Amino acid sequence: MKLKNLILQMALVLCAFNMNAELPVYLDDSKPIEERIDDAISQMSLKQKVALLHAHSKFSSPGVPALGIPELWTDDGPMGVRPEVLWDEWDQAGWTNDSCTAFPSLTCLAATWNPEMAALYGKSIGEEARYRNKSVLLGPGVNIYRTPLGGRNFEYFGEDPLLAGIMAAEYVKGVQSNGVAVCVKHFAANNHEWNRYTTNSIVGDRALYEIYLPAFKAAVDAGAWSLMGGYNLINGQHATYNQRLINDILKGEWGFDGAVISDWGAVHDTKQAVEGGLDLEFGTGTDGLGSKGNPYDNYYLANPYYNGLVEGKYSEDQLNDKVRRVLRLTMRTAMNRNRPFGSINSDEHHEACRKIGEEGIVLLKNVDNTLPIDLKKIHTIAVIGENGIKRMTVGGGSSSLKAQYEIYPLEGLEARLGKDIDIVYERGYVGDTCTHYNNVWTKQDLSDPRTPEQLTADAVKAAKGADMVIFIGGLNKSDHQDAEGCDRLSMDLPYNQNELIEALAAANPNIVVVNISGTGIAMPWLDKVKAVLQAWYLGNETGNALAAVLCGDVNPSGKLPYTYYASLDQCAAHKLGDYPGTPRHDPVEGDIIDMKYNDDIFVGYRYTDMNKIKPTFPFGHGLSYTTFEYGKPSINRKKGSVDDKFTVTIPVTNTGSREGSEIVQLYIADLKSSLPRPAKELKDFAKIKLQPGQTETVVFEIGREDLCFFDDKAHSWIVEPGKFEAIIGASAADLKGKVGFEIE
Ligand code: BGC
């Protein structure tokens, strides 16, 4: 066998040199892909077919060595390319050439509301994955932000399906332009981390179709080549091989032609996996000993599947469909000889990282023009808070990275302001002093011998002596603080930060709070501080991006991709749902946790609107250092059929004294409908850059899909005749005008 492989490999090399030599059809990329797949399948044995469908290391599957079909290498995802691990283990391989550019969290990308940034992000991270020879990047994550406690919110695009879908689609196209597949995850209704292996999300069709599936569909429509099933169950069946979700909706209704990959260790049964549409199994545990041959042969889609096929339990057509999908994925990536070479840690990638970070930072509050820092008035700044000095590209779970470098906030501020201003730093609290995650070292010793009282006293003293205080705190990707595998325990800032901020504000009212997190936090001190920035996890360029916004080199233009609740009471998943679920013993699945999505379609602003709840900050909120004035919106026709073209226009003027960008949001309200609908829903947005005094007229087109809702009984999207409103907002709560129209 080995000799046969060798001869084949030599033949392939000779073919590559002699273009006249005849290539086997499956290797000839001048031929249509489906023809090549047919040819490959016709040459594969049953054993080879089954072998193609499961891992042979932590992150790779074997291909078909005897046919020269290469391995398929995957890697996390989604915010940078994960460092190499050992063949069979999660432990680091200890390579020295696997550092990467750590890009900002996807929540930050969503906060840019700029599809061009998503395209740049996708292209850049795809180049890094390509350079590292990965064929599948395990991302983006497009699950909806349903609760602020969700441990992986920072890996996702926020609460709104339209915004998440538009951004995800650009990310997908950008990555795949490198001949690297995305693996959109975690399909679906996987919205928190508690009991992630056993939660059974009980979700109705309306909520699935209107809230939880659209971002996946947008990614599929953008051409996603693979998709990852979640750990959870949905309506009683595992998501990774859920008949309804995968066979009926994804592969049926949406016509997805890519491969469905299991989450790592999400498969529990061969029959269900085979029949439920799973194509490629990863991460199932092995005893590592090869007691039954190759340890990977024990995977559910390995020997147990092979034996079932031999016994006639499964059809070969079904097998061939899986093989076809995996071969298609391989031909689109690892076997694509025309794909670019990629690049890593390039100046362009670092620049992209900084730009996306700068554009995603959200200025939540800014009274008395406290920001940008006025260098004529401010001569000393007390920077306080652990996140000012903490490296945070490491941690958080599978998205943890080995960044080639990371500029932490204090470094960025010192580099930008150090020559003009005295900067004093005080820690204020001790949170997470861990020096490593997954054996990637931060190279920071954050231990501090001081007592909490002493830390506070030292911070207050520094605050008193300064012209301005910049508190840099928040969460930090340690357990329960924005991390995979566990949710947060409450919305409160940890480590006594609330008390500390109050003490600092009392000592010096000229205080700015920079919150670094991927999710919403409670802000009981909001009235006592002058300005607040939501700064996310910004990757390599954290400090530089933050300093650029604080100093005004960059005018902030990000807006919130989720509602910033004041308390969990304002969030429908907690108020109406049964988070964190109810344990139950299922005769087939064993102990599971039922989690009822009673909030249905009323997620985020859809719920706060309905109940007239005033959150701390609404969805879509974000300030600028300039001001914008909205004119009156107008519509081209007042009545028409659903196929007529309705166009809404609105002039927006920069009324301040510096250039700035505004995100203009279009919401649609259906005034009367047979099924309950949200008061309004985001249907389009535009980010426009305006010079001082400049006016631009934003034009939105309204089509059928902006008016319809999912009728679960009829199982179709319908538009009902009647009155609608097109509402223009600077956020979901700051509405600037509306125009009515009627569908006849
Ligand atoms: C995570 C996935 C990740 C995979 C591989 C799983 O635990 O849920 O998001 O891609 O591990 O690291």
Side-chain angles (χ1 to χ4, degrees):
M1 194 60 157
K2 289 224 167 89
L3 185 65
K4 192 176 153 206
N5 286 355
L6 190 68
I7 294 170
L8 184 86
Q9 298 292 345
M10 283 171 61
L12 295 180
V13 172
L14 288 176
C15 288
F17 282 104
N18 178 3
M19 300 313 279
N20 294 326
E22 198 130 310
L23 281 170
V25 171
Y26 66 89
L27 288 176
D28 182 352
D29 54 16
S30 69
K31 298 262 174 18
I33 249 186
E34 300 306 315
E35 200 181 310
R36 294 171 61 200
I37 295 172
D38 285 339
D39 184 48
I41 290 182
S42 73
Q43 304 195 36
M44 287 166 72
S45 67
L46 198 64
K47 273 235 146 73
Q48 287 171 331
K49 288 180 184 175
V50 172
L52 194 71
L53 307 183
H54 59 268
H56 73 155
S57 81
K58 264 286 170 240
F59 281 101
S60 65
S61 60
V64 193
L67 293 184
I69 293 174
E71 293 171 327
L72 198 62
W73 276 93
T74 72
D75 204 2
D76 288 298
M79 283 131 19
V81 186
R82 180 180 179 150
E84 302 298 327
V85 297
L86 293 175
W87 187 260
D88 286 320
E89 312 293 335
W90 290 109
D91 294 346
Q92 293 295 297
W95 291 18
T96 51
N97 59 353
D98 56 353
S99 59
C100 67
T101 302
F103 294 92
S105 60
L106 292 193
T107 324
C108 172
L109 177 59
T112 68
W113 293 61
N114 185 349
E116 280 174 28
M117 286 297 120
L120 174 67
Y121 194 121
K123 174 176 172 288
S124 311
I125 193 173
E127 282 168 354
E128 300 230 340
R130 172 67 189 107
Y131 187 88
R132 292 261 308 277
N133 224 359
K134 308 299 178 193
S135 293
V136 182
L137 180 75
L138 303 175
V142 302
N143 293 103
I144 291 293
Y145 179 112
R146 179 168 176 256
T147 155
L149 304 189
R152 296 181 87 170
N153 284 345
F154 69 102
E155 289 189 57
Y156 303 143
F157 289 100
E159 78 182 29
D160 185 78
L162 178 101
L163 176 62
I166 289 178
M167 301 302 278
E170 294 306 313
Y171 180 114
V172 167
K173 289 187 257 176
V175 170
Q176 294 191 164
S177 65
N178 294 287
V180 172
V182 294
C183 184
V184 194
K185 63 191 191 184
H186 307 87
F187 194 63
N190 182 294
N191 307 99
H192 65 275
E193 290 296 293
W194 271 132
N195 307 311
R196 65 176 178 159
Y197 303 109
T198 49
T199 288
N200 175 31
S201 305
I202 302 177
V203 204
D205 264 12
R206 269 199 88 194
L208 278 176
Y209 277 83
E210 293 192 17
I211 305 289
Y212 298 106
L213 296 184
F216 287 100
K217 173 144 194 318
V220 168
D221 289 346
W225 290 334
S226 75
L227 174 141
M228 186 191 292
Y231 285 128
N232 55 306
L233 299 94
I234 303 172
N235 298 329
Q237 233 185 14
H238 281 278
T240 284
Y241 36 86
N242 188 293
Q243 278 291 347
R244 179 89 204 295
L245 264 276
I246 293 186
N247 286 337
D248 299 348
I249 299 178
L250 175 71
K251 292 181 175 175
E253 290 174 22
W254 301 353
F256 175 66
D257 71 356
V260 173
I261 300 180
S262 71
D263 199 345
W264 268 233
V267 187
H268 311 280
D269 184 83
T270 299
K271 186 168 185 296
Q272 288 185 34
V274 169
E275 291 173 355
L278 181 68
D279 301 312
L280 199 40
E281 177 185 1
F282 270 97
T284 307
T286 77
D287 61 6
L289 298 173
S291 47
K292 296 185 195 141
N294 177 337
Y296 293 90
D297 286 346
N298 301 330
Y299 271 37
Y300 295 94
L301 289 192
N303 284 351
Y305 187 22
Y306 177 81
N307 295 337
L309 281 157
V310 172
E311 288 160 21
K313 278 197 208 152
Y314 309 115
S315 81
E316 194 151 352
D317 279 356
Q318 192 179 43
L319 169 73
N320 285 347
D321 178 65
K322 296 180 196 300
V323 171
R324 177 171 293 278
R325 286 169 185 274
V326 176
L327 286 175
R328 198 179 281 132
L329 177 61
T330 312
M331 287 184 187
R332 284 167 163 168
T333 57
M335 289 174 78
N336 172 359
R337 284 185 299 162
N338 296 320
R339 58 184 183 159
F341 289 108
S343 53
I344 200 152
N345 286 315
S346 63
D347 290 349
E348 288 79 7
H349 293 175
H350 298 149
E351 167 85 7
C353 171
R354 191 178 46 75
K355 259 171 86 171
I356 295 161
E358 289 170 353
E359 241 197 78
I361 291 173
V362 184
L363 180 61
L364 293 174
K365 170 176 177 172
N366 192 23
V367 295
D368 305 335
N369 292 328
T370 303
L371 292 177
I373 300 164
D374 183 346
L375 296 183
K376 291 196 206 82
K377 288 201 209 131
I378 305 293
H379 307 293
T380 50
I381 295 184
V383 174
I384 311 226
E386 185 173 284
N387 285 353
I389 53 165
K390 187 164 172 57
R391 296 211 163 102
M392 282 196 282
T393 53
V394 172
S398 56
S399 62
S400 178
L401 297 170
K402 190 201 244 179
Q404 193 196 40
Y405 68 91
E406 179 177 344
I407 312 241
Y408 52 79
L410 181 64
E411 268 182 317
L413 277 169
E414 277 172 343
R416 172 64 181 80
L417 290 174
K419 12 179 223 330
D420 306 314
I421 279 185
D422 278 343
I423 299 183
V424 209
Y425 175 74
E426 267 303 332
R427 176 85 165 265
Y429 65 94
V430 173
D432 173 37
T433 53
C434 189
T435 48
H436 59 93
Y437 184 82
N438 265 354
N439 277 337
V440 175
W441 296 82
T442 60
K443 303 216 174 71
Q444 285 191 300
D445 178 5
L446 292 182
S447 57
D448 196 311
R450 287 174 290 178
T451 61
E453 294 72 27
Q454 190 60 50
L455 283 157
T456 307
D458 291 347
V460 166
K461 187 165 165 225
K464 276 192 180 140
D467 298 328
M468 174 182 260
V469 179
I470 302 183
F471 176 81
I472 307 180
L475 311 182
N476 55 23
K477 294 196 188 168
S478 62
D479 282 358
H480 305 293
Q481 311 301 341
D482 279 338
E484 182 175 331
C486 45
D487 285 346
R488 291 169 65 206
L489 301 171
S490 85
M491 279 185 72
D492 288 332
L493 281 176
Y495 322 123
N496 271 346
Q497 289 178 77
N498 283 343
E499 291 75 3
L500 178 62
I501 295 171
E502 301 259 359
L504 295 171
N508 185 340
N510 199 24
I511 176 170
V512 175
V513 172
V514 176
N515 177 51
I516 297 190
S517 73
T519 188
I521 54 152
M523 296 186 177
W525 33 259
L526 185 60
D527 289 346
K528 297 178 188 141
V529 305
K530 289 274 174 77
V532 181
L533 280 180
Q534 175 62 38
W536 321 113
Y537 302 103
L538 300 177
N540 292 52
E541 287 284 317
T542 299
N544 290 338
L546 193 55
V549 169
L550 285 167
C551 300
D553 302 339
V554 165
N555 191 352
S557 67
K559 293 203 179 192
L560 288 174
Y562 55 77
T563 306
Y564 225 97
Y565 304 110
S567 67
L568 289 180
D569 239 26
Q570 297 188 330
C571 167
H574 294 269
K575 190 82 183 165
L576 309 177
D578 61 349
Y579 180 95
T582 314
R584 162 169 80 85
H585 186 79
D586 183 272
V588 179
E589 303 298 347
D591 291 335
I592 59 171
I593 312 280
D594 280 338
M595 158 79 78
K596 293 195 189 114
Y597 280 45
N598 294 334
D599 40 338
D600 195 42
I601 55 170
F602 295 98
V603 175
Y605 66 86
R606 289 162 167 84
Y607 180 71
T608 51
D609 271 2
M610 178 168 77
N611 292 287
K612 310 221 170 356
I613 291 169
K614 205 170 166 287
T616 309
F617 298 107
F619 171 79
H621 167 78
L623 304 171
S624 162
Y625 295 149
T626 187
T627 46
F628 301 100
E629 212 171 275
Y630 286 61
K632 258 178 95 62
S634 55
I635 192 157
N636 65 333
R637 60 171 72 230
K638 287 279 179 195
K639 264 188 187 179
S641 88
V642 70
D643 296 318
D644 283 329
K645 206 158 127 197
F646 289 88
T647 309
V648 174
T649 49
I650 175 115
V652 182
T653 306
N654 179 347
T655 47
S657 54
R658 60 174 296 171
E659 179 193 274
S661 294
E662 172 66 333
I663 298 160
V664 184
Q665 300 156 40
L666 170 77
Y667 296 87
I668 299 279
D670 184 353
L671 299 190
K672 199 162 164 241
S673 55
S674 56
L675 290 179
R677 295 198 70 179
K680 64 177 188 299
E681 291 183 289
L682 183 75
K683 291 298 170 185
D684 205 354
F685 57 87
K687 188 162 192 174
I688 50 168
K689 186 185 266 180
L690 296 173
Q691 299 303 319
Q694 190 189 347
T695 300
E696 188 175 321
T697 297
V698 178
V699 182
F700 292 116
E701 276 187 8
I702 300 173
R704 178 187 284 269
E705 69 277 17
D706 305 316
L707 306 174
C708 58
F709 62 93
F710 190 76
D711 180 338
D712 46 349
K713 298 235 162 52
H715 194 76
S716 67
W717 291 93
I718 61 166
V719 182
E720 286 177 340
K723 292 191 171 137
F724 289 82
E725 277 172 356
I727 305 167
I728 303 293
S731 78
D734 184 8
L735 307 182
K736 301 296 191 182
K738 60 183 177 191
V739 282
F741 60 100
E742 196 173 333
I743 299 295
E744 290 174 317

